[in-house]
Amino acid sequence: MAIHADNSHASRMEPGRESAYDMPDANGHFGPYGGMFVAETLMYPLEELLKAYEGCMADPLFQSELDADLRDYVGRPSPLYHAERWSREVGGAQIYLKREDLNHTGAHKVNNTIGQALLAKRMGKTRIIAETGAGQHGVATATVAARLGLECVVYMGEVDVARQEANVYRMRLLGAQVVAVKSGSRTLKDAMNEAMRDWVTNVDNTFYIIGTVAGPHPYPMLVRDFQAVIGREARAQILERTGRLPDALVACVGGGSNALGLFYPFIGDTEVAIYGVEAAGDGLETGRHAAPLTAGRPGVLHGNRTYLMEDDNGQIMETHSISAGLDYPGVGPEHSWLKDSGRATYGAVSDDEALAAFHHLTRTEGIIPALESSHALAYAHTLAATMRPDQSILVNLSGRGDKDMHTVAHHDGLVL
Amino acid sequence: MSRIAARFEQLAGRGRTALVPFVTAGDPNPEVTVPLMHAMVAAGADLIELGVPFSDPMADGPVIQRATERALARGVSLTQVLEMVRAFRAQDQDTPVVLMGYLNPIEVMGYASFSEQAGAAGVDGALIVDLPPEEGHDLITMMRDQGLDLVNLIAPTSTEARIAKIGQVASGFVYYVSIKGVTGAAHLDASTIADKVGEIRAQIRLPVGVGFGIKDAETAGQVARVADAVIVGSAIVGRIESLADTPERIPESIAEFLGGLRAAIDVADGVGHGSTSR
């Protein structure tokens, strides 16, 4: 075959075009974002982690072990579902759902914990720690720790422990110790602080499984790479189904791991529009939200430079969202880069809009989505209505809504 | 010569180890801090580390976390901390003051603006916990232009290669974190500290301070035998916490505690070889 001068055209139908996009650089920077802003004690352990990770990625044995686990334990590939009835009601573009809700443990989180746990085993670590907000990452971590026989400690803000009892019980059933964090705002950011403190203290035998594309380098890259299986599968699936790439991608963004997992393999496909959806909470104008990309500014937190919700003195602000998984004042640094570079567009959806989408999808398709994913659905609804029926949108349905029954019932004035 | 260099030179000439107390600025209220700084100097402090409150103090244990929360509850900002240093300088032109904290308040103020304002207020240096040398180039440059030192941490996990890298950028003094852990943790092991301080001295020709885990006169004396500066934080901040309801008693109480540490360090300096090795 002749070599085309226009590379983007030549590789249009081929997966793996992310190779043309080479972020982050060797020091973990995505332009001005990312990096390694941690205490000196953690610098050498992070260097070791990077070395181990690069070794594993180059090792076909590690890859085949990971692929087998994703297939036999997680249940991959997850289906791509054409939500025909919902698309008809919306009255615009065809909407396809990447069904990460059908994974073992009910969300995309396990793609990453499987990968990091295998890495921990390779590095000879015997103890796993994690932070969690809603409890989904905590459950996904406790799950893989149980399977590999590793000690597991999960840090969770005291506020979240109270509002996510079922997931706390689930983690304990799986053998994890759940530590309620009582400092600061007693939510996800404080759980992450506490996990960092544990890691700095027990760094010799402990592996810290970060649940999103944030934290110091190499975590944002490593979590993205483990989650990129979502986008690789979805790209191949939609090409097979429709013969062309989607016109747009939509995913919710808290820390942003499900979004980057979907977006990453499409970054070189410049004809595909990319939309990330943050939590507008009670509304951006109220200040009670969790939308740093939409309404924040750059700063440094949890080991990286990124957009944050912070006050004029550089103190991190408390956030609000009905979905605990989006209730975080920062965001993965690669999203900050994608925003500034213009490759992705970020918007925000309120609690009420997300709830409406939650009910709408449940009633029209018989799929109960997570409240996090409902933010992406609400945005996709509005976007699809502006598009033609021969166009398509690919939405990451990142998790199932079973965990949110109490929250939704409470909002509707019911007690379960 | 900078105030920090002058102070260490003066101490070395007399064969003495520096006593460096840490307090969180504005804990338990902003009015206490400047009188407390003067009281600490009178009790034998040679350099003061002043903590800048940050909402997410990832490297600190519960004692300093709570101090930070008390200061933030009173709305203490980086700008106010600089004003406290300016007020301190009105009466004390000799005792070096090093700010200790996290990067984000400085990011928001802007590196150039921070460096100028800190220099003008009479700050001598800053120790930024979450700024390793890999990320520090821009801030180091701007601080140097204002005559400020960026004090680096060295940890038990720092390899020989990392110590060399830190040596290329460090100024003022280096701060050896004696344990893997957060501030205020236990288990200080004097013999492993001596080994690591030896490794540091082989590569870095700056004074070496040791902190984390120094709780009382006994541990202060042990550390004084190997270090150029004994840094004490949580033990002081814990005492401040216990007096939060009677803040007028804080300067006197902390001065008394420092007096005990000073005496133990002086004994160590008399029998030890810490500062005389330099």
Side-chain angles (χ1 to χ4, degrees), chain A residues 361-410:
Chain A
L361 190 80
T362 301
R363 290 292 182 90
T364 55
E365 295 287 355
I367 296 171
I368 302 180
L371 284 173
E372 289 78 7
S373 321
S374 299
H375 287 70
L377 295 167
Y379 194 90
H381 183 148
T382 308
L383 181 66
T386 67
M387 294 165 67
R388 299 186 313 267
D390 63 331
Q391 293 183 297
S392 65
I393 298 177
L394 175 47
V395 182
N396 198 2
L397 189 61
S398 55
R400 68 180 180 219
D402 305 44
K403 70 181 175 56
D404 296 315
M405 291 299 100
H406 284 272
T407 307
V408 175
H410 181 260

Short mmCIF file of all heavy atoms in Angstrom, two decimals, chain A residues 361-410:
data_model
loop_
_atom_site.label_atom_id
_atom_site.label_comp_id
_atom_site.label_asym_id
_atom_site.label_seq_id
_atom_site.Cartn_x
_atom_site.Cartn_y
_atom_site.Cartn_z
N LEU A 361 -33.11 7.37 31.46
CA LEU A 361 -32.48 6.16 30.90
C LEU A 361 -33.09 4.92 31.53
O LEU A 361 -33.34 3.91 30.84
CB LEU A 361 -30.96 6.17 31.14
CG LEU A 361 -30.27 5.03 30.36
CD1 LEU A 361 -30.08 5.41 28.89
CD2 LEU A 361 -28.92 4.65 30.97
N THR A 362 -33.34 4.97 32.84
CA THR A 362 -33.91 3.81 33.54
C THR A 362 -35.25 3.43 32.92
O THR A 362 -35.51 2.24 32.65
CB THR A 362 -34.09 4.15 35.04
OG1 THR A 362 -32.81 4.48 35.58
CG2 THR A 362 -34.67 2.99 35.81
N ARG A 363 -36.08 4.43 32.62
CA ARG A 363 -37.43 4.15 32.10
C ARG A 363 -37.44 3.77 30.63
O ARG A 363 -38.28 3.00 30.20
CB ARG A 363 -38.32 5.39 32.29
CG ARG A 363 -38.67 5.68 33.74
CD ARG A 363 -39.61 4.59 34.29
NE ARG A 363 -40.00 4.89 35.66
CZ ARG A 363 -41.07 5.61 35.97
NH1 ARG A 363 -41.83 6.12 35.03
NH2 ARG A 363 -41.35 5.84 37.24
N THR A 364 -36.51 4.33 29.84
CA THR A 364 -36.58 4.06 28.39
C THR A 364 -35.74 2.86 27.96
O THR A 364 -36.03 2.23 26.95
CB THR A 364 -36.12 5.27 27.55
OG1 THR A 364 -34.82 5.65 27.98
CG2 THR A 364 -37.07 6.44 27.69
N GLU A 365 -34.69 2.54 28.73
CA GLU A 365 -33.80 1.46 28.29
C GLU A 365 -33.69 0.32 29.29
O GLU A 365 -33.05 -0.70 29.00
CB GLU A 365 -32.38 2.00 28.00
CG GLU A 365 -32.32 2.99 26.84
CD GLU A 365 -32.49 2.32 25.46
OE1 GLU A 365 -32.58 1.07 25.40
OE2 GLU A 365 -32.57 3.05 24.46
N GLY A 366 -34.26 0.47 30.49
CA GLY A 366 -34.14 -0.59 31.49
C GLY A 366 -32.72 -0.73 31.99
O GLY A 366 -32.27 -1.81 32.35
N ILE A 367 -31.98 0.37 32.01
CA ILE A 367 -30.61 0.39 32.54
C ILE A 367 -30.57 1.45 33.63
O ILE A 367 -30.86 2.62 33.36
CB ILE A 367 -29.58 0.75 31.44
CG1 ILE A 367 -29.57 -0.32 30.35
CG2 ILE A 367 -28.19 0.92 32.04
CD1 ILE A 367 -28.74 0.06 29.13
N ILE A 368 -30.21 1.05 34.85
CA ILE A 368 -30.10 2.01 35.95
C ILE A 368 -28.65 2.45 36.04
O ILE A 368 -27.78 1.67 36.42
CB ILE A 368 -30.56 1.38 37.29
CG1 ILE A 368 -32.02 0.89 37.16
CG2 ILE A 368 -30.43 2.40 38.41
CD1 ILE A 368 -32.56 0.24 38.42
N PRO A 369 -28.38 3.70 35.65
CA PRO A 369 -26.99 4.16 35.62
C PRO A 369 -26.53 4.72 36.98
O PRO A 369 -27.35 5.15 37.78
CB PRO A 369 -27.03 5.30 34.60
CG PRO A 369 -28.40 5.89 34.78
CD PRO A 369 -29.32 4.74 35.18
N ALA A 370 -25.24 4.73 37.22
CA ALA A 370 -24.69 5.41 38.40
C ALA A 370 -24.97 6.91 38.28
O ALA A 370 -25.08 7.45 37.17
CB ALA A 370 -23.19 5.18 38.49
N LEU A 371 -25.06 7.59 39.41
CA LEU A 371 -25.29 9.05 39.36
C LEU A 371 -24.14 9.77 38.68
O LEU A 371 -24.34 10.79 38.02
CB LEU A 371 -25.50 9.60 40.78
CG LEU A 371 -26.88 9.32 41.38
CD1 LEU A 371 -26.92 9.75 42.84
CD2 LEU A 371 -27.98 10.01 40.58
N GLU A 372 -22.91 9.23 38.82
CA GLU A 372 -21.77 9.83 38.13
C GLU A 372 -22.03 9.80 36.62
O GLU A 372 -21.99 10.82 35.93
CB GLU A 372 -20.47 9.06 38.45
CG GLU A 372 -19.96 9.23 39.87
CD GLU A 372 -20.72 8.39 40.91
OE1 GLU A 372 -21.57 7.57 40.49
OE2 GLU A 372 -20.49 8.56 42.12
N SER A 373 -22.32 8.60 36.12
CA SER A 373 -22.54 8.42 34.68
C SER A 373 -23.75 9.22 34.21
O SER A 373 -23.82 9.62 33.04
CB SER A 373 -22.76 6.94 34.36
OG SER A 373 -21.91 6.13 35.13
N SER A 374 -24.70 9.45 35.10
CA SER A 374 -25.91 10.21 34.73
C SER A 374 -25.57 11.64 34.32
O SER A 374 -26.31 12.26 33.55
CB SER A 374 -26.90 10.23 35.90
OG SER A 374 -27.29 8.90 36.22
N HIS A 375 -24.46 12.17 34.83
CA HIS A 375 -24.01 13.49 34.39
C HIS A 375 -23.64 13.45 32.90
O HIS A 375 -23.98 14.37 32.15
CB HIS A 375 -22.81 13.97 35.21
CG HIS A 375 -23.16 14.38 36.62
ND1 HIS A 375 -23.54 13.48 37.59
CD2 HIS A 375 -23.22 15.60 37.20
CE1 HIS A 375 -23.79 14.14 38.71
NE2 HIS A 375 -23.60 15.42 38.51
N ALA A 376 -22.96 12.40 32.49
CA ALA A 376 -22.60 12.26 31.07
C ALA A 376 -23.85 12.08 30.22
O ALA A 376 -23.96 12.65 29.13
CB ALA A 376 -21.65 11.07 30.89
N LEU A 377 -24.82 11.32 30.75
CA LEU A 377 -26.06 11.08 29.99
C LEU A 377 -26.84 12.38 29.79
O LEU A 377 -27.37 12.62 28.70
CB LEU A 377 -26.93 10.05 30.74
CG LEU A 377 -26.33 8.64 30.85
CD1 LEU A 377 -27.10 7.81 31.87
CD2 LEU A 377 -26.31 7.95 29.49
N ALA A 378 -26.91 13.20 30.83
CA ALA A 378 -27.64 14.46 30.72
C ALA A 378 -27.01 15.35 29.65
O ALA A 378 -27.70 15.98 28.84
CB ALA A 378 -27.64 15.18 32.07
N TYR A 379 -25.67 15.39 29.65
CA TYR A 379 -24.96 16.22 28.66
C TYR A 379 -25.18 15.67 27.26
O TYR A 379 -25.42 16.42 26.30
CB TYR A 379 -23.47 16.25 29.01
CG TYR A 379 -22.69 17.31 28.29
CD1 TYR A 379 -22.55 18.59 28.84
CD2 TYR A 379 -22.10 17.07 27.05
CE1 TYR A 379 -21.84 19.58 28.19
CE2 TYR A 379 -21.39 18.05 26.38
CZ TYR A 379 -21.25 19.30 26.96
OH TYR A 379 -20.54 20.29 26.31
N ALA A 380 -25.11 14.33 27.15
CA ALA A 380 -25.29 13.69 25.83
C ALA A 380 -26.69 13.96 25.29
O ALA A 380 -26.88 14.15 24.08
CB ALA A 380 -25.04 12.18 25.96
N HIS A 381 -27.67 13.97 26.18
CA HIS A 381 -29.05 14.25 25.77
C HIS A 381 -29.13 15.62 25.09
O HIS A 381 -29.64 15.76 23.98
CB HIS A 381 -29.95 14.21 27.02
CG HIS A 381 -31.40 14.40 26.74
ND1 HIS A 381 -32.40 13.82 27.48
CD2 HIS A 381 -32.05 15.12 25.78
CE1 HIS A 381 -33.59 14.16 26.99
NE2 HIS A 381 -33.40 14.96 25.96
N THR A 382 -28.59 16.64 25.76
CA THR A 382 -28.62 18.00 25.21
C THR A 382 -27.84 18.08 23.90
O THR A 382 -28.30 18.70 22.93
CB THR A 382 -28.00 18.97 26.24
OG1 THR A 382 -28.65 18.77 27.49
CG2 THR A 382 -28.16 20.42 25.79
N LEU A 383 -26.68 17.43 23.88
CA LEU A 383 -25.84 17.47 22.68
C LEU A 383 -26.51 16.76 21.51
O LEU A 383 -26.55 17.29 20.39
CB LEU A 383 -24.49 16.81 23.01
CG LEU A 383 -23.45 16.76 21.90
CD1 LEU A 383 -22.98 18.17 21.55
CD2 LEU A 383 -22.25 15.91 22.33
N ALA A 384 -27.07 15.57 21.78
CA ALA A 384 -27.67 14.76 20.71
C ALA A 384 -28.82 15.52 20.05
O ALA A 384 -29.00 15.43 18.83
CB ALA A 384 -28.18 13.43 21.29
N ALA A 385 -29.56 16.26 20.85
CA ALA A 385 -30.72 16.98 20.32
C ALA A 385 -30.31 18.04 19.29
O ALA A 385 -31.14 18.45 18.48
CB ALA A 385 -31.51 17.62 21.47
N THR A 386 -29.04 18.46 19.31
CA THR A 386 -28.58 19.45 18.34
C THR A 386 -27.98 18.80 17.10
O THR A 386 -27.52 19.49 16.20
CB THR A 386 -27.48 20.35 18.95
OG1 THR A 386 -26.31 19.54 19.18
CG2 THR A 386 -27.92 20.98 20.26
N MET A 387 -27.98 17.45 17.06
CA MET A 387 -27.31 16.73 15.96
C MET A 387 -28.32 15.97 15.09
O MET A 387 -29.48 15.83 15.44
CB MET A 387 -26.26 15.77 16.55
CG MET A 387 -25.11 16.51 17.25
SD MET A 387 -24.08 15.45 18.32
CE MET A 387 -23.31 14.37 17.14
N ARG A 388 -27.82 15.46 13.97
CA ARG A 388 -28.69 14.75 13.01
C ARG A 388 -28.76 13.26 13.35
O ARG A 388 -27.83 12.71 13.93
CB ARG A 388 -28.13 14.88 11.60
CG ARG A 388 -28.01 16.30 11.06
CD ARG A 388 -27.57 16.27 9.59
NE ARG A 388 -26.44 15.36 9.36
CZ ARG A 388 -25.16 15.76 9.37
NH1 ARG A 388 -24.84 17.02 9.62
NH2 ARG A 388 -24.20 14.88 9.13
N PRO A 389 -29.84 12.58 12.94
CA PRO A 389 -29.98 11.14 13.22
C PRO A 389 -28.90 10.27 12.57
O PRO A 389 -28.70 9.14 13.00
CB PRO A 389 -31.36 10.80 12.66
CG PRO A 389 -32.10 12.09 12.62
CD PRO A 389 -31.07 13.15 12.35
N ASP A 390 -28.21 10.78 11.55
CA ASP A 390 -27.14 9.96 10.95
C ASP A 390 -25.80 10.19 11.65
O ASP A 390 -24.79 9.64 11.23
CB ASP A 390 -27.02 10.26 9.45
CG ASP A 390 -26.60 11.70 9.19
OD1 ASP A 390 -26.93 12.58 10.04
OD2 ASP A 390 -25.95 11.95 8.17
N GLN A 391 -25.82 10.98 12.70
CA GLN A 391 -24.59 11.18 13.49
C GLN A 391 -24.66 10.30 14.75
O GLN A 391 -25.73 9.83 15.12
CB GLN A 391 -24.44 12.65 13.87
CG GLN A 391 -24.19 13.56 12.66
CD GLN A 391 -23.98 15.00 13.06
OE1 GLN A 391 -24.88 15.62 13.61
NE2 GLN A 391 -22.80 15.52 12.79
N SER A 392 -23.51 10.15 15.42
CA SER A 392 -23.51 9.28 16.60
C SER A 392 -22.67 9.86 17.73
O SER A 392 -21.71 10.60 17.51
CB SER A 392 -22.98 7.89 16.23
OG SER A 392 -21.62 7.99 15.84
N ILE A 393 -23.10 9.51 18.94
CA ILE A 393 -22.40 9.90 20.16
C ILE A 393 -22.09 8.63 20.94
O ILE A 393 -22.94 7.76 21.09
CB ILE A 393 -23.27 10.82 21.05
CG1 ILE A 393 -23.62 12.12 20.32
CG2 ILE A 393 -22.56 11.14 22.36
CD1 ILE A 393 -24.53 13.02 21.13
N LEU A 394 -20.87 8.55 21.44
CA LEU A 394 -20.47 7.41 22.26
C LEU A 394 -20.32 7.90 23.70
O LEU A 394 -19.51 8.78 23.98
CB LEU A 394 -19.14 6.87 21.71
CG LEU A 394 -18.40 5.75 22.42
CD1 LEU A 394 -19.32 4.59 22.79
CD2 LEU A 394 -17.29 5.24 21.52
N VAL A 395 -21.15 7.35 24.59
CA VAL A 395 -21.16 7.77 26.00
C VAL A 395 -20.58 6.67 26.86
O VAL A 395 -20.94 5.49 26.69
CB VAL A 395 -22.60 8.07 26.48
CG1 VAL A 395 -22.59 8.55 27.93
CG2 VAL A 395 -23.27 9.10 25.58
N ASN A 396 -19.71 7.04 27.79
CA ASN A 396 -19.21 6.03 28.72
C ASN A 396 -20.19 5.87 29.88
O ASN A 396 -20.33 6.77 30.71
CB ASN A 396 -17.83 6.41 29.24
CG ASN A 396 -17.10 5.21 29.84
OD1 ASN A 396 -17.63 4.09 29.82
ND2 ASN A 396 -15.91 5.43 30.36
N LEU A 397 -20.86 4.73 29.91
CA LEU A 397 -21.74 4.41 31.04
C LEU A 397 -20.84 3.75 32.08
O LEU A 397 -20.70 2.54 32.13
CB LEU A 397 -22.87 3.49 30.60
CG LEU A 397 -23.96 3.26 31.64
CD1 LEU A 397 -24.63 4.56 32.00
CD2 LEU A 397 -25.00 2.29 31.12
N SER A 398 -20.21 4.59 32.90
CA SER A 398 -19.06 4.14 33.70
C SER A 398 -19.41 3.24 34.87
O SER A 398 -18.57 2.49 35.35
CB SER A 398 -18.28 5.36 34.22
OG SER A 398 -19.14 6.23 34.92
N GLY A 399 -20.67 3.30 35.32
CA GLY A 399 -21.04 2.42 36.45
C GLY A 399 -22.53 2.24 36.57
O GLY A 399 -23.31 2.99 35.97
N ARG A 400 -22.91 1.24 37.34
CA ARG A 400 -24.33 0.97 37.53
C ARG A 400 -24.85 1.69 38.78
O ARG A 400 -24.08 2.04 39.67
CB ARG A 400 -24.58 -0.52 37.62
CG ARG A 400 -24.04 -1.16 38.86
CD ARG A 400 -24.33 -2.67 38.89
NE ARG A 400 -23.78 -3.23 40.12
CZ ARG A 400 -23.18 -4.42 40.19
NH1 ARG A 400 -23.04 -5.17 39.13
NH2 ARG A 400 -22.74 -4.85 41.35
N GLY A 401 -26.16 1.89 38.82
CA GLY A 401 -26.74 2.75 39.84
C GLY A 401 -27.18 2.07 41.12
O GLY A 401 -27.71 2.74 42.01
N ASP A 402 -26.96 0.79 41.27
CA ASP A 402 -27.43 0.08 42.47
C ASP A 402 -26.97 0.77 43.76
O ASP A 402 -27.73 0.87 44.71
CB ASP A 402 -26.91 -1.36 42.49
CG ASP A 402 -27.26 -2.13 41.24
OD1 ASP A 402 -27.10 -1.56 40.13
OD2 ASP A 402 -27.70 -3.29 41.36
N LYS A 403 -25.73 1.27 43.76
CA LYS A 403 -25.18 1.91 44.95
C LYS A 403 -25.91 3.20 45.30
O LYS A 403 -25.77 3.73 46.40
CB LYS A 403 -23.69 2.21 44.74
CG LYS A 403 -23.47 3.32 43.72
CD LYS A 403 -22.02 3.63 43.45
CE LYS A 403 -21.83 4.63 42.34
NZ LYS A 403 -22.51 5.92 42.51
N ASP A 404 -26.66 3.75 44.33
CA ASP A 404 -27.27 5.07 44.52
C ASP A 404 -28.74 5.02 44.90
O ASP A 404 -29.40 6.06 44.96
CB ASP A 404 -27.11 5.90 43.24
CG ASP A 404 -25.65 6.18 42.92
OD1 ASP A 404 -24.92 6.56 43.86
OD2 ASP A 404 -25.24 6.00 41.76
N MET A 405 -29.27 3.81 45.15
CA MET A 405 -30.70 3.69 45.45
C MET A 405 -31.12 4.59 46.61
O MET A 405 -32.13 5.28 46.54
CB MET A 405 -31.05 2.22 45.78
CG MET A 405 -30.96 1.26 44.61
SD MET A 405 -32.08 1.68 43.26
CE MET A 405 -30.98 2.51 42.13
N HIS A 406 -30.31 4.59 47.69
CA HIS A 406 -30.69 5.38 48.87
C HIS A 406 -30.67 6.87 48.56
O HIS A 406 -31.55 7.61 48.98
CB HIS A 406 -29.75 5.07 50.04
CG HIS A 406 -30.04 3.76 50.69
ND1 HIS A 406 -30.96 3.62 51.71
CD2 HIS A 406 -29.58 2.51 50.42
CE1 HIS A 406 -31.03 2.35 52.06
NE2 HIS A 406 -30.21 1.65 51.30
N THR A 407 -29.65 7.30 47.79
CA THR A 407 -29.52 8.73 47.47
C THR A 407 -30.70 9.20 46.63
O THR A 407 -31.29 10.26 46.89
CB THR A 407 -28.21 8.98 46.70
OG1 THR A 407 -27.13 8.42 47.45
CG2 THR A 407 -27.95 10.46 46.49
N VAL A 408 -31.05 8.41 45.62
CA VAL A 408 -32.14 8.81 44.72
C VAL A 408 -33.47 8.76 45.48
O VAL A 408 -34.29 9.70 45.38
CB VAL A 408 -32.18 7.89 43.48
CG1 VAL A 408 -33.38 8.24 42.61
CG2 VAL A 408 -30.89 8.04 42.68
N ALA A 409 -33.67 7.72 46.27
CA ALA A 409 -34.92 7.61 47.04
C ALA A 409 -35.05 8.79 48.00
O ALA A 409 -36.12 9.41 48.11
CB ALA A 409 -34.94 6.29 47.82
N HIS A 410 -33.96 9.12 48.66
CA HIS A 410 -33.97 10.24 49.60
C HIS A 410 -34.33 11.53 48.89
O HIS A 410 -35.14 12.34 49.38
CB HIS A 410 -32.60 10.35 50.27
CG HIS A 410 -32.50 11.46 51.27
ND1 HIS A 410 -31.92 12.67 50.98
CD2 HIS A 410 -32.95 11.55 52.54
CE1 HIS A 410 -32.01 13.46 52.04
NE2 HIS A 410 -32.63 12.80 53.00
#
